Amino acid sequence: MKTIIGNWKMYVGVRESVALARGMLYALRGKKIVPHVVICPSFVALSDVRKIITRSHVALGAQDMFWEETGAYTGEISSRMLSELAVSYVLIGHSERRHSLGETDEMIGKKVQQVFRSGMTPVLCVGETAEERAQGKTQEIVEQQLHQDFAGVEYPPASELFIAYEPRWAIGTGMAATPQDAVVMHQSIRGWVKEIFPSIRDEQIHVLYGGSVDGANAYAFLREKEIDGVLVGGASVKLTLMQEVLSAAIEAMEGEAHQSS
Ligand code: PGA
């Protein structure tokens, strides 16, 4: 199974989000093999998008969440509020939040814990900057992020865990990593997650690639067995590009089915 997550960032409002959700459902209609699709609209569009995707294959995700369940935290959104809207996935530690909004590993860890505690599934985003990559520190940085973000986090035995490997230099730049580089990182990430949570089973870990994925390059990532899916930003708010990404996922899944038969 391949997972496609659309991160709509702050690109679209309620009306456009509803139209996009409808278009995505249409693109999946009648398909025999369907990828696991999660869409992450802005908070204000969650309620309306939820109505469109109820009883479909598409799941709802949020782009962030606060770590306390309730209280005097002006402007924040809690797990309880998201659960009321049937949100099942939450992006945590997105590079834009780490680098532009000052989110620290400690804050990210608390958020991951709260997502688990409330029965939702975290999609933890990790990745190195261009500078760190140039210094040959990619592996070191990502390993460190995982260890710090999961420090003290209790992993509920039945949970799923999604990690999105998103090199910062690849996000929104049109310069995706190569599938070969992503495969190497995904193998390492799987190993580190198993070190951190020794009782986690292989099938509970899903490692996705993100950073300038579009209709033209999605298949090159998705055909790799180490790449469980992709996290798509800019291209996910352009319906034709997202339709191409979904077709690439279906093609990759048909290839897998063919190989295992
Ligand atoms: P991008 O963003 O696809 O626009 O590069 C990916 C992301 O930020 O999750």
Side-chain angles (χ1 to χ4, degrees):
M1 176 64 84
K2 298 288 180 183
T3 297
I4 310 297
I5 303 185
N7 172 14
W8 295 354
K9 309 197 185 194
M10 206 180 68
Y11 287 136
V12 282
V14 180
R15 240 177 310 158
E16 269 182 278
S17 298
V18 165
L20 269 175
R22 284 214 175 95
M24 286 184 53
L25 288 190
Y26 192 76
L28 293 169
R29 226 170 44 180
K31 298 278 188 284
K32 285 203 195 78
I33 294 187
V34 183
H36 174 222
V37 180
V38 180
I39 47 182
C40 305
S42 65
F43 290 130
V44 294
L46 283 171
S47 179
D48 288 58
V49 168
R50 174 207 178 177
K51 291 178 197 143
I52 308 291
I53 62 173
T54 314
R55 286 189 291 277
S56 77
H57 293 292
V58 176
L60 198 55
Q63 298 177 15
D64 184 35
M65 191 191 90
F66 193 57
W67 58 78
E68 293 292 344
E69 206 176 322
T70 179
Y73 300 103
T74 303
E76 293 296 340
I77 301 284
S78 73
S79 56
R80 199 189 282 180
M81 296 167 184
L82 296 181
S83 295
E84 262 185 81
L85 294 173
V87 166
S88 26
Y89 295 84
V90 188
L91 302 183
I92 299 288
H94 190 279
S95 157
E96 286 146 16
R97 299 202 61 84
R98 289 179 192 261
H99 295 274
S100 314
L101 296 159
E103 213 162 273
T104 63
D105 290 301
E106 194 196 339
M107 292 158 80
I108 291 165
K110 291 203 267 187
K111 290 181 177 192
V112 170
Q113 183 67 79
Q114 183 59 20
V115 175
F116 276 143
R117 219 176 263 143
S118 52
M120 295 185 277
T121 303
V123 181
L124 175 71
C125 306
V126 293
E128 80 287 359
T129 64
E131 203 185 347
E132 288 158 348
R133 185 178 185 80
Q135 293 167 350
K137 289 190 180 160
T138 300
Q139 294 261 337
E140 187 188 323
I141 292 293
V142 174
E143 180 178 11
Q144 204 177 65
Q145 282 173 344
L146 289 173
H147 277 277
Q148 290 178 352
D149 297 346
F150 288 136
V153 168
E154 281 172 42
Y155 182 80
S159 274
E160 305 271 309
L161 173 59
F162 284 73
I163 308 285
Y165 169 57
E166 298 204 299
R168 178 159 164 71
W169 49 268
I171 297 177
T173 58
M175 282 186 343
T178 63
Q180 294 70 30
D181 282 352
V183 164
V184 170
M185 284 310 293
H186 283 216
Q187 286 166 333
S188 300
I189 289 171
R190 223 165 232 287
W192 293 320
V193 169
K194 282 158 75 174
E195 257 170 47
I196 299 170
F197 301 118
S199 58
I200 197 167
R201 295 191 312 276
D202 261 322
E203 60 274 21
Q204 290 173 289
I205 313 171
H206 309 270
V207 190
L208 315 184
Y209 168 76
S212 296
V213 173
D214 58 21
N217 63 17
Y219 182 73
F221 289 103
L222 290 164
R223 72 170 171 210
E224 301 292 344
K225 84 171 174 0
E226 290 83 359
I227 299 182
D228 299 317
V230 287
L231 173 49
V232 190
S236 71
V237 289
K238 300 197 177 79
L239 193 52
T240 47
L241 298 186
M242 200 52 182
Q243 283 164 341
E244 287 169 17
V245 174
L246 294 172
S247 301
I250 292 170
E251 195 182 337
M253 286 169 63
E254 282 168 349
E256 274 175 359
H258 187 69
Q259 270 173 13
S260 60
S261 67

